[in-house]
Amino acid sequence: MTGKWVIGVGLCAALAAGPVLAAQPSEAQVRELMQVMNVPGQFTVMNNQMASMMSQQLPCVSADYWKTYIDKAGQEQLLTAMIPAYQHHFTSDEVEGLIKFYKSPLGQKLVAQMPATMTEAAQSGQQWGRQRTSDMFAELQKQGKLDAQGRCPGTSGAQGQ
Protein backbone atom coordinates (compact mmCIF):
# COMPACT_ATOMS: atom_id res chain seq x y z
CA MET A 1 0.00 0.00 0.00
CA THR A 2 2.81 2.45 0.78
CA GLY A 3 4.29 1.94 -2.67
CA LYS A 4 1.02 2.98 -4.32
CA TRP A 5 0.80 5.96 -1.96
CA VAL A 6 4.34 7.13 -2.90
CA ILE A 7 3.55 6.75 -6.61
CA GLY A 8 0.28 8.63 -6.13
CA VAL A 9 1.99 11.49 -4.28
CA GLY A 10 4.70 11.63 -6.94
CA LEU A 11 2.11 11.71 -9.73
CA CYS A 12 0.16 14.49 -7.98
CA ALA A 13 3.34 16.50 -7.49
CA ALA A 14 4.27 16.08 -11.14
CA LEU A 15 0.80 17.16 -12.29
CA ALA A 16 0.80 20.11 -9.91
CA ALA A 17 4.13 21.28 -11.27
CA GLY A 18 2.55 21.62 -14.70
CA PRO A 19 4.00 20.64 -18.03
CA VAL A 20 7.68 20.00 -18.35
CA LEU A 21 9.35 23.31 -19.11
CA ALA A 22 10.72 23.48 -22.63
CA ALA A 23 14.31 24.47 -23.10
CA GLN A 24 14.90 28.19 -23.29
CA PRO A 25 16.75 29.35 -26.40
CA SER A 26 20.35 30.35 -25.94
CA GLU A 27 21.56 33.89 -26.55
CA ALA A 28 23.39 32.60 -29.64
CA GLN A 29 20.15 31.10 -31.03
CA VAL A 30 18.27 34.34 -30.51
CA ARG A 31 21.07 36.36 -32.10
CA GLU A 32 21.02 34.06 -35.14
CA LEU A 33 17.25 34.48 -35.39
CA MET A 34 17.59 38.26 -35.22
CA GLN A 35 20.21 38.16 -37.96
CA VAL A 36 18.11 36.05 -40.35
CA MET A 37 15.11 38.31 -39.58
CA ASN A 38 17.34 41.30 -40.45
CA VAL A 39 16.60 43.06 -37.17
CA PRO A 40 19.76 45.23 -37.51
CA GLY A 41 18.51 46.35 -40.94
CA GLN A 42 15.18 47.25 -39.37
CA PHE A 43 17.06 49.37 -36.82
CA THR A 44 18.70 51.24 -39.70
CA VAL A 45 15.33 51.95 -41.32
CA MET A 46 13.89 53.08 -37.97
CA ASN A 47 16.93 55.26 -37.35
CA ASN A 48 16.64 56.95 -40.75
CA GLN A 49 12.93 57.62 -40.22
CA MET A 50 13.62 59.04 -36.77
CA ALA A 51 16.45 61.22 -38.12
CA SER A 52 14.14 62.63 -40.77
CA MET A 53 11.40 63.34 -38.23
CA MET A 54 13.79 64.94 -35.74
CA SER A 55 15.43 67.13 -38.38
CA GLN A 56 11.96 68.44 -39.31
CA GLN A 57 11.13 69.13 -35.67
CA LEU A 58 14.56 70.60 -34.91
CA PRO A 59 15.85 72.13 -38.16
CA CYS A 60 18.73 73.73 -36.26
CA VAL A 61 20.24 70.25 -35.75
CA SER A 62 21.68 68.40 -38.73
CA ALA A 63 19.93 65.18 -39.78
CA ASP A 64 23.36 63.54 -39.73
CA TYR A 65 23.46 64.06 -35.98
CA TRP A 66 20.28 62.01 -35.49
CA LYS A 67 21.52 59.25 -37.80
CA THR A 68 23.94 58.30 -35.04
CA TYR A 69 21.07 57.58 -32.62
CA ILE A 70 21.26 53.83 -33.29
CA ASP A 71 24.92 53.50 -34.16
CA LYS A 72 26.83 50.16 -34.07
CA ALA A 73 27.15 50.30 -30.28
CA GLY A 74 23.48 51.21 -29.98
CA GLN A 75 22.49 48.31 -32.24
CA GLU A 76 24.44 45.89 -30.06
CA GLN A 77 22.91 47.31 -26.88
CA LEU A 78 19.42 47.11 -28.34
CA LEU A 79 19.87 43.55 -29.61
CA THR A 80 21.21 42.48 -26.21
CA ALA A 81 18.28 44.16 -24.46
CA MET A 82 15.80 42.33 -26.72
CA ILE A 83 17.17 38.81 -26.19
CA PRO A 84 15.31 38.10 -22.91
CA ALA A 85 11.96 38.86 -24.57
CA TYR A 86 12.61 36.21 -27.23
CA GLN A 87 13.82 33.79 -24.55
CA HIS A 88 10.66 34.44 -22.55
CA HIS A 89 8.21 33.87 -25.41
CA PHE A 90 9.87 31.13 -27.46
CA THR A 91 11.41 27.74 -26.75
CA SER A 92 14.71 26.61 -28.20
CA ASP A 93 12.86 24.34 -30.65
CA GLU A 94 10.60 27.19 -31.74
CA VAL A 95 13.56 29.49 -32.36
CA GLU A 96 15.21 26.76 -34.41
CA GLY A 97 11.99 26.46 -36.45
CA LEU A 98 11.87 30.21 -36.95
CA ILE A 99 15.51 30.27 -38.04
CA LYS A 100 14.77 27.50 -40.55
CA PHE A 101 11.75 29.43 -41.86
CA TYR A 102 13.58 32.77 -42.15
CA LYS A 103 16.45 31.07 -43.99
CA SER A 104 13.97 29.60 -46.51
CA PRO A 105 13.17 31.42 -49.75
CA LEU A 106 9.74 32.41 -48.41
CA GLY A 107 11.25 33.62 -45.14
CA GLN A 108 13.81 35.70 -47.01
CA LYS A 109 11.05 37.15 -49.19
CA LEU A 110 9.15 38.08 -46.03
CA VAL A 111 12.23 39.85 -44.65
CA ALA A 112 12.84 41.65 -47.95
CA GLN A 113 9.22 42.70 -48.50
CA MET A 114 8.20 43.52 -44.93
CA PRO A 115 9.41 47.16 -44.84
CA ALA A 116 7.48 48.08 -48.01
CA THR A 117 4.48 46.01 -46.91
CA MET A 118 4.37 47.71 -43.51
CA THR A 119 4.75 51.16 -45.10
CA GLU A 120 1.85 50.51 -47.46
CA ALA A 121 -0.24 48.98 -44.66
CA ALA A 122 0.46 51.98 -42.40
CA GLN A 123 -0.58 54.38 -45.19
CA SER A 124 -3.79 52.42 -45.68
CA GLY A 125 -4.41 52.47 -41.94
CA GLN A 126 -3.85 56.22 -41.77
CA GLN A 127 -6.19 56.83 -44.70
CA TRP A 128 -8.83 54.60 -43.12
CA GLY A 129 -8.37 56.38 -39.77
CA ARG A 130 -8.83 59.83 -41.33
CA GLN A 131 -12.00 58.72 -43.14
CA ARG A 132 -13.39 56.95 -40.07
CA THR A 133 -12.74 59.99 -37.88
CA SER A 134 -14.37 62.27 -40.45
CA ASP A 135 -17.41 59.99 -40.68
CA MET A 136 -17.76 59.79 -36.90
CA PHE A 137 -17.38 63.57 -36.50
CA ALA A 138 -20.04 64.10 -39.19
CA GLU A 139 -22.40 61.75 -37.33
CA LEU A 140 -21.77 63.57 -34.04
CA GLN A 141 -22.41 66.92 -35.77
CA LYS A 142 -25.62 65.53 -37.27
CA GLN A 143 -26.70 64.44 -33.77
CA GLY A 144 -25.88 67.92 -32.42
CA LYS A 145 -23.14 66.64 -30.11
CA LEU A 146 -20.45 68.61 -31.97
CA ASP A 147 -20.62 72.03 -33.63
CA ALA A 148 -19.41 72.81 -37.16
CA GLN A 149 -15.83 73.27 -35.88
CA GLY A 150 -15.83 69.81 -34.26
CA ARG A 151 -16.13 71.13 -30.71
CA CYS A 152 -18.66 70.44 -28.01
CA PRO A 153 -21.41 73.06 -28.25
CA GLY A 154 -20.99 75.90 -25.77
CA THR A 155 -17.24 75.47 -25.32
CA SER A 156 -14.66 78.09 -26.13
CA GLY A 157 -12.23 77.64 -29.01
CA ALA A 158 -9.42 76.41 -26.75
CA GLN A 159 -11.45 73.60 -25.19
CA GLY A 160 -12.71 70.41 -26.78
CA GLN A 161 -10.18 70.40 -29.59
Side-chain angles (χ1 to χ4, degrees):
M1 180 97 155
T2 39
K4 289 181 183 178
W5 185 81
V6 169
I7 292 172
V9 169
L11 181 59
C12 287
L15 290 173
V20 176
L21 294 176
Q24 184 181 54
S26 68
E27 180 177 333
Q29 279 182 300
V30 174
R31 285 184 181 278
E32 182 179 359
L33 175 60
M34 287 189 212
Q35 285 301 317
V36 297
M37 289 174 60
N38 193 28
V39 172
Q42 294 170 24
F43 290 162
T44 300
V45 170
M46 286 175 13
N47 193 60
N48 290 341
Q49 290 171 343
M50 200 250 342
S52 174
M53 181 183 69
M54 292 304 293
S55 65
Q56 289 174 8
Q57 290 182 6
L58 298 170
C60 61
V61 179
S62 165
D64 290 338
Y65 176 78
W66 298 111
K67 287 183 179 179
T68 64
Y69 188 78
I70 307 178
D71 58 8
K72 280 289 186 196
Q75 278 191 16
E76 178 56 31
Q77 292 164 350
L78 195 47
L79 286 170
T80 299
M82 293 169 64
I83 289 170
Y86 284 83
Q87 290 174 321
H88 178 88
H89 292 281
F90 297 98
T91 67
S92 179
D93 288 343
E94 290 168 338
V95 168
E96 284 302 317
L98 288 168
I99 291 169
K100 184 177 179 180
F101 168 74
Y102 279 104
K103 284 184 173 181
S104 74
L106 180 58
Q108 287 300 291
K109 181 176 182 175
L110 178 65
V111 168
Q113 296 300 316
M114 192 52 65
T117 302
M118 293 307 294
T119 297
E120 289 176 37
Q123 290 168 348
S124 296
Q126 289 169 354
Q127 182 179 357
W128 176 87
R130 284 190 297 271
Q131 184 62 52
R132 179 74 173 143
T133 300
S134 176
D135 292 347
M136 291 182 84
F137 267 65
E139 180 63 27
L140 290 168
Q141 287 169 337
K142 192 167 124 180
Q143 294 173 6
K145 294 182 179 179
L146 293 179
D147 65 18
Q149 289 75 40
R151 296 185 305 247
C152 293
T155 61
S156 69
Q159 294 176 338
Q161 290 184 11

